[in-house]
Amino acid sequence: MKVYKKSFLFSVGLIIFFFSACSSTNYIERNHMENIEKIQNCAPYNQEGASSEFEIKYLIDENRVAEIRAYFKENVGLDLDALAASDKSTWEKAVELAVFVAKNIPHDNQKEWLQERNAISLWEYSRRIPSGFNCRWHSTILSELLLSIGIKNRFITCLPEDKNDGDCHVVNVVWLPELNKYAMIDSDMVEFVTDENGIPLSLREMRAVVESGKSLNINVLPGFENSWVAKPSGIKYMQAYWAKNLYWFSAHTVYGFDLEGKTIPEDFYVCLVPPGYECNSELVTSNEMVFWGEEN
């Protein structure tokens, strides 16, 4: 495995993925079974290579924590200090912040580019241009709000097997110490996925469900019970959407602030791909244990 400094080509490739739009999404449902079979038939992720490949780092600037808490309390009325100190579970806190982002920022393709993309700059953009922005910016602002109250999380790019398919999805995975596992939460499409007992699933667990041929238990965030996602057609679409976009993953190797638009020496993009799948990235692994870090 070769490790490079942040790759220009890979960054350009990500931008193309994040901003390309298909003229129609009919192909997603039409190819649902085909995409399930792609996951079932690919070489399985493995546990080879161990942790020497790379390290997931938790870099939190307490000055940024204080700045974000003060800004959102003074300008938005969001009391992050109170939420952090509350007796709510980690998942309940994460859901509350995801609902806050979803209710205040619709999904849309952004109308202008921001060089620095963090919780404050993205919030100010959303007030200036209220039509909203895409899943990656949703995940970025939610990530920093979560980090500001001490909740470890990463935003993960979920990608299809077809390299010509410019449609991917970016969501947050939140570390739940009470359950010793990650859970996926999606403020952009206002949804999360649970098992039969109502326990929220991680992306890794969701992929295993798809691989087994079973349906995902799609849930909508509180307050969005009338959204398109909650309708039978929306649930059907999300089944096919996730089957397509759980083939491989890309993420930063750092939990931290200001990851988008700045260069952080400790940070790399890392891709988790099935063995044999070619990915033009600075760091590629097929070791899912290493990629997901703390998840067992």
Side-chain angles (χ1 to χ4, degrees):
M1 176 181 295
K2 298 180 180 179
V3 179
Y4 305 93
K5 294 182 179 179
K6 289 199 172 180
S7 161
F8 173 76
L9 288 176
F10 186 64
S11 298
V12 169
L14 285 178
I15 290 171
I16 291 172
F17 262 119
F18 301 147
F19 287 95
S20 33
C22 298
S23 57
S24 170
T25 60
N26 292 336
Y27 78 101
I28 294 175
E29 293 189 52
R30 186 172 63 247
N31 296 339
H32 186 183
M33 293 308 301
E34 178 183 341
N35 286 319
I36 292 175
E37 291 170 358
K38 285 180 178 180
I39 290 178
Q40 292 174 331
N41 295 332
C42 71
Y45 293 137
N46 56 53
Q47 297 180 20
E48 299 174 0
S51 58
S52 60
E53 294 180 340
F54 61 92
E55 181 183 359
I56 305 297
K57 296 183 179 180
Y58 187 57
L59 303 178
I60 300 301
D61 182 342
E62 292 302 327
N63 291 328
R64 289 290 289 141
V65 168
E67 182 182 2
I68 289 171
R69 288 190 181 194
Y71 176 89
F72 279 88
K73 187 172 185 178
E74 293 169 7
N75 296 281
V76 186
L78 177 64
D79 194 339
L80 293 166
D81 292 299
L83 182 58
S86 74
D87 293 330
K88 295 177 180 179
S89 69
T90 304
W91 178 245
E92 289 171 329
K93 293 175 181 179
V95 168
E96 186 168 328
L97 288 178
V99 168
F100 167 79
V101 173
K103 284 187 173 180
N104 284 283
I105 306 172
H107 168 82
D108 194 16
N109 291 320
Q110 35 267 40
K111 303 300 186 292
E112 62 183 54
W113 181 251
L114 296 180
Q115 186 60 40
E116 293 188 5
R117 302 175 294 282
N118 54 51
I120 294 174
S121 67
L122 290 173
W123 178 261
E124 291 180 342
Y125 171 98
S126 74
R127 299 307 91 185
R128 189 174 71 254
I129 305 177
S131 59
F133 45 65
N134 72 1
C135 57
R136 189 169 188 84
W137 287 14
H138 262 260
S139 297
T140 303
I141 188 171
L142 180 55
S143 177
E144 294 203 358
L145 290 174
L146 290 164
L147 290 173
S148 77
I149 63 169
I151 297 179
K152 288 185 178 183
N153 76 94
R154 300 164 75 190
F155 50 96
I156 309 289
T157 307
C158 309
L159 299 116
E161 180 273 341
D162 184 357
K163 293 184 175 69
N164 294 317
D165 183 350
D167 172 76
C168 64
H169 195 40
V170 188
V171 295
N172 298 86
V173 289
V174 177
W175 179 251
L176 305 180
E178 300 93 334
L179 299 176
N180 195 40
K181 68 184 293 292
Y182 278 116
M184 185 281 293
I185 194 161
D186 180 2
S187 65
D188 183 68
M189 288 193 175
V190 301
E191 48 101 30
F192 60 97
V193 178
T194 61
D195 67 11
E196 61 275 10
N197 298 313
I199 303 298
L201 297 184
S202 67
L203 287 168
R204 180 183 172 195
E205 291 168 323
M206 289 167 57
R207 193 179 192 275
V209 171
V210 172
E211 186 176 14
S212 74
K214 297 178 181 178
S215 295
L216 294 166
N217 184 24
I218 308 290
N219 299 260
V220 294
L221 294 173
F224 289 90
E225 291 78 9
N226 294 320
S227 71
W228 70 269
V229 180
K231 301 181 187 307
S233 59
I235 298 294
K236 180 182 178 182
Y237 175 83
M238 291 306 301
Q239 299 286 348
Y241 190 72
W242 277 120
K244 181 177 80 72
N245 285 331
L246 289 171
Y247 192 83
W248 65 285
F249 306 94
S250 176
H252 292 274
T253 58
V254 166
Y255 295 85
F257 299 103
D258 299 295
L259 298 181
E260 299 284 277
K262 289 187 176 182
T263 299
I264 298 174
E266 300 91 343
D267 188 29
F268 295 92
Y269 287 114
V270 57
C271 293
L272 172 64
V273 303
Y277 186 82
E278 294 185 3
C279 170
N280 181 25
S281 175
E282 65 224 56
L283 183 57
V284 180
T285 184
S286 295
N287 186 329
E288 61 179 348
M289 301 296 287
V290 173
F291 180 85
W292 295 118
E294 294 163 300
E295 186 176 16
N296 296 309

